[in-house]
């Protein structure tokens, strides 16, 4: 019985520390990796050095670089709404994520879609054409990780 528990813990830790690579456009070449996600950190390019952490996730907040100070909160995420900084005021909603679509501010109108996600690809606006793929990724991302990657894609590169 102890062996089974140990094996299950090892398997679980392998899956928990899986690295997700994020590629520019529709590419899957390692030279086109813009960032990677591992253990709640978003790293620059293919790096996993702590000096290359672009942002990190703790609970429902995304922090700048390696910081966990409240003054360094980039975004707070609640119920699909992404707030600026440490705020949860509706006037500070930067965008809303609903049904795989990213809407501008608090909107849910199709005319306000700024991007959409389908099959691990993120497309510009309402498009699903391969020429409109902004970035793609090779694994599963939580909503917090997705927002952190969106931040890196839009504001870092």
């Amino acid at each position: 019985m102890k062996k089974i528990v140990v094996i299950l813990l090892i398997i679980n830790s392998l899956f928990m520390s899986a690295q997700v690579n994020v590629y520019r456009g529709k590419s899957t070449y390692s030279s086109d990796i813009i960032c990677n996600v591992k253990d709640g950190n978003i790293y620059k390019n293919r790096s996993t050095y702590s000096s290359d952490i672009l942002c990190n996730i703790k609970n429902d907040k995304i922090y700048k670089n390696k910081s966990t100070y409240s003054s360094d909160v980039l975004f707070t995420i609640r119920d699909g709404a992404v707030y600026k900084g440490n705020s949860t005021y509706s006037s500070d909603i930067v965008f809303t994520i609903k049904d795989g679509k990213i809407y501008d501010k608090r909107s849910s109108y199709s005319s306000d879609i700024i991007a959409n996600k389908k099959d691990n690809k993120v497309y510009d606006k309402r498009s699903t054409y391969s020429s409109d793929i902004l970035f793609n990724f090779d694994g599963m991302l939580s909503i917090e990780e997705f927002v952190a990657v969106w931040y890196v894609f839009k504001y870092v590169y």
Side-chain angles (χ1 to χ4, degrees):
M1 183 66 171
K2 287 182 182 180
K3 288 181 183 180
I4 293 173
V5 171
V6 170
I7 290 171
L8 290 174
L9 289 173
I10 290 170
I11 290 171
N12 189 40
S13 69
L14 290 173
F15 284 110
M16 293 301 288
S17 63
Q19 179 174 315
V20 176
N21 293 309
V22 180
Y23 303 86
R24 184 177 325 281
K26 61 182 177 180
S27 175
T28 54
Y29 293 115
S30 61
S31 59
D32 288 326
I33 294 174
I34 58 173
C35 65
N36 73 81
V37 181
K38 185 173 179 168
D39 299 328
N41 294 310
I42 313 305
Y43 295 91
K44 181 184 201 181
N45 303 325
R46 295 183 293 171
S47 176
T48 54
Y49 292 115
S50 64
S51 60
D52 287 331
I53 294 174
L54 300 170
C55 55
N56 75 87
I57 302 161
K58 298 284 185 241
N59 300 321
D60 59 353
K61 298 184 186 311
I62 299 170
Y63 296 85
K64 185 176 184 182
N65 302 326
K66 296 183 287 185
S67 176
T68 55
Y69 293 115
S70 61
S71 60
D72 288 331
V73 174
L74 297 168
F75 301 104
T76 300
I77 302 157
R78 295 261 167 83
D79 301 321
V82 180
Y83 300 85
K84 179 173 42 177
N86 216 8
S87 175
T88 55
Y89 292 114
S90 61
S91 60
D92 288 331
I93 294 176
V94 180
F95 54 92
T96 304
I97 299 174
K98 185 177 179 184
D99 299 326
K101 298 187 178 15
I102 303 172
Y103 295 89
D104 192 28
K105 302 189 187 215
R106 294 184 289 174
S107 178
S108 59
Y109 294 113
S110 64
S111 60
D112 290 331
I113 294 173
I114 55 178
N116 74 88
K117 181 180 100 42
K118 184 177 180 188
D119 301 328
N120 289 9
K121 294 173 182 63
V122 178
Y123 298 85
D124 193 26
K125 299 184 176 140
R126 294 182 286 172
S127 176
T128 55
Y129 292 115
S130 63
S131 60
D132 290 330
I133 296 173
L134 301 172
F135 61 87
N136 73 90
F137 45 96
D138 62 8
M140 299 297 292
L141 295 175
S142 68
I143 190 169
E144 293 84 4
E145 291 169 335
F146 179 79
V147 170
V149 167
W150 179 260
Y151 160 77
V152 167
F153 176 77
K154 291 301 275 185
Y155 303 108
V156 175
Y157 287 101

